[in-house]
Amino acid sequence: MGDIQKLLGWIDGQREEMVGLQRLLTAIPALAPESGGEGEDKKARALAAWLEGQGLAVENHPVRDSRVPAGERPNLAAVVPGADREGAFWVMSHLDVVPPGDFSLWEGDPYAMREKDGRLYGRGVEDNQQGLVSSVFAALAFLKNGVRPSRDFRLLFAADEEVGSAYGIEAVLRDYPRLFRRGDCFLVPDGGRPDSSMIEVAEKSILWLKFSVEGRQCHGSMPHLGTNAFVAGSALVLRLAQALPEKFSRVDSLFEPPYSTFCPTRKEANVPNVNTIPGLDVFWMDCRVLPSESVGDVLAEIDCHCRKIEEEYGVKARREVSQSKASVPTPADCALAGRLKKAVKAVYGVETRVQGIGGGTVGAYLRNAGYDTLIWSTIAETCHMPNEYCVVDNMVGDAKVMLLLALDQK
Ligand SMILES: [Zn+2]
């Protein structure tokens, strides 16, 4: 008990240092090449030097990327050794940020952090430096006070989260499998609610599809000489929008909404003039499938409807998968979730609920690799916005939650 109070008190005393680290990190833009940037190299070097100055050694797990000046993307890891070396508790945050967007919407320089009324303003302060800094100070609490966590407490500062993690956690899991061990579990402080109440354990599988229906173009006055792709495409989209939710109708109350969704979204322009029968119709669907349903079955059902439309309308109907990401859920009653509920209650006095979301988080890579992974943090939800901010109290409180989790990994 003495140790816990000592460590929590130490974190309370580190507000200014936490703000200082935020300022340092904000000043170094870390944008992916897709966003016109040079990657995370400079920011990673500054963070590594800062951590080493505090006595925390970091190891880089670079991933080659010829598009950036450094030739590689950094993925840093640090460890506070535990009393028991089997299985680690990880906190994974990311180094990269999204571009500021329209500068005129910012009240100051996005890369010069401003502090006002208990908030820090700047690009990246919430997404994901808040979680990053919290994890750093949870780790330093052990080092500076000579206390050991129950198991290894490991930090991962990953690259490339904002544009898909191909040079970040996805590559690290593939290229450095020995960094992780069976039984490791992860907290990803990159999502959550302002009142700390949401723990995300699962996501729906994402399936983005492009449909091309090909008929034959002809003059609007002579429709018998062609095949109207617009009409056939419209029949197909209506059929899919009706049949897919009927066929894949399982309900899982972990999710909001609690069922799979199949939404026609983008529609591409066809002919520019009114007197031509269009020969090509292109539309897209965004499907979010419950983990308990099979994406393969969804695709088979879609193909079946395409064949029927081809027969009925004399067209060719093709579908391409532009993105497909399935995710294994972390059990809502896993040990880490129980500990996190306890820790959040202790620090914030808040009851949490576990939830699934619509998909597309980095958690999917870790879960698919077999590691229990929770996404949780206390955030103002200003990620990617102009005047993004971080509430200092949240940064400090979340550091305490991470500390309690690292103490309680038995
Ligand atoms: Zn993020």
Side-chain angles (χ1 to χ4, degrees), residues 29-339:
L31 294 165
E34 288 90 336
S35 305
E38 298 187 347
E40 305 82 357
D41 184 63
K42 287 186 182 130
K43 188 171 179 177
R45 283 174 195 277
L47 175 62
W50 190 94
L51 290 171
E52 272 156 24
Q54 298 290 325
L56 189 60
V58 292
E59 215 176 297
N60 190 11
H61 302 82
V63 177
R64 290 176 68 89
D65 185 352
S66 58
R67 301 169 303 167
V68 295
E72 58 185 38
R73 309 285 289 279
N75 291 278
L76 306 180
V79 58
V80 182
D84 177 352
R85 305 300 309 270
E86 281 303 306
F89 167 57
W90 289 86
V91 178
M92 181 177 85
S93 54
H94 63 84
L95 293 160
D96 56 320
V97 298
V98 295
D102 186 347
F103 277 93
S104 70
L105 299 175
W106 285 80
E107 273 160 35
D109 179 350
Y111 297 121
M113 193 204 79
R114 289 171 296 127
E115 188 173 6
K116 201 184 161 199
D117 304 329
R119 293 174 176 180
L120 310 177
Y121 290 86
R123 176 51 87 224
V125 291
E126 179 167 80
D127 183 14
N128 188 217
Q129 288 160 207
Q130 180 186 316
L132 187 159
V133 172
S134 296
S135 74
V136 163
F137 280 82
L140 291 180
F142 289 103
L143 281 189
K144 301 286 186 183
N145 292 284
V147 176
R148 280 190 149 197
S150 59
R151 294 198 301 172
D152 280 3
F153 179 27
R154 292 178 179 266
L155 309 184
L156 186 60
F157 311 109
D160 199 35
E161 190 274 339
E162 296 293 356
V163 291
S165 293
Y167 300 87
I169 188 61
E170 185 181 17
V172 173
L173 285 162
R174 183 190 63 228
D175 297 347
Y176 302 96
R178 290 220 297 261
L179 185 58
F180 311 103
R181 299 208 194 142
R182 267 170 68 121
D184 284 7
C185 58
F186 287 78
L187 177 73
V188 179
D190 194 16
R193 293 279 183 277
D195 64 358
S196 316
S197 66
M198 202 266 275
I199 301 173
E200 189 244 291
V201 291
E203 52 193 83
K204 293 176 183 172
S205 303
I206 289 191
L207 186 59
W208 289 353
L209 296 159
K210 179 187 183 185
F211 292 86
S212 307
V213 177
E214 224 176 288
R216 196 143 69 96
Q217 183 178 312
C218 64
H219 196 284
S221 67
M222 306 287 277
H224 57 288
L225 297 180
T227 311
N228 194 323
F230 179 29
V231 172
S234 302
L236 178 60
V237 77
L238 279 176
R239 228 170 270 187
L240 292 173
Q242 185 174 13
L244 294 173
E246 276 173 16
K247 173 123 184 173
F248 301 98
S249 59
R250 283 201 184 130
V251 169
D252 184 342
S253 60
L254 200 57
F255 292 88
E256 166 64 27
Y259 42 80
S260 302
T261 55
F262 304 91
C263 299
T265 51
R266 179 169 160 191
K267 176 77 181 74
E268 294 188 3
N270 53 21
V271 293
N273 55 314
V274 74
N275 57 345
T276 294
I277 303 271
L280 180 66
D281 192 68
V282 179
F283 64 91
W284 298 65
M285 282 182 90
D286 177 347
C287 310
R288 311 283 169 138
V289 183
L290 286 179
S292 54
E293 306 269 24
S294 149
V295 169
D297 289 352
V298 172
L299 288 172
E301 178 71 11
I302 286 171
D303 288 341
C304 177
H305 288 284
C306 286
R307 297 298 81 78
K308 280 189 198 146
I309 291 292
E310 286 181 336
E311 272 169 39
E312 290 171 36
Y313 290 84
V315 292
K316 274 210 164 1
R318 277 195 316 270
R319 56 99 182 146
E320 283 165 58
V321 176
S322 85
Q323 174 155 189
S324 172
K325 226 182 255 171
S327 170
V328 179
T330 287
D333 58 356
C334 72
L336 184 62
R339 293 179 186 123

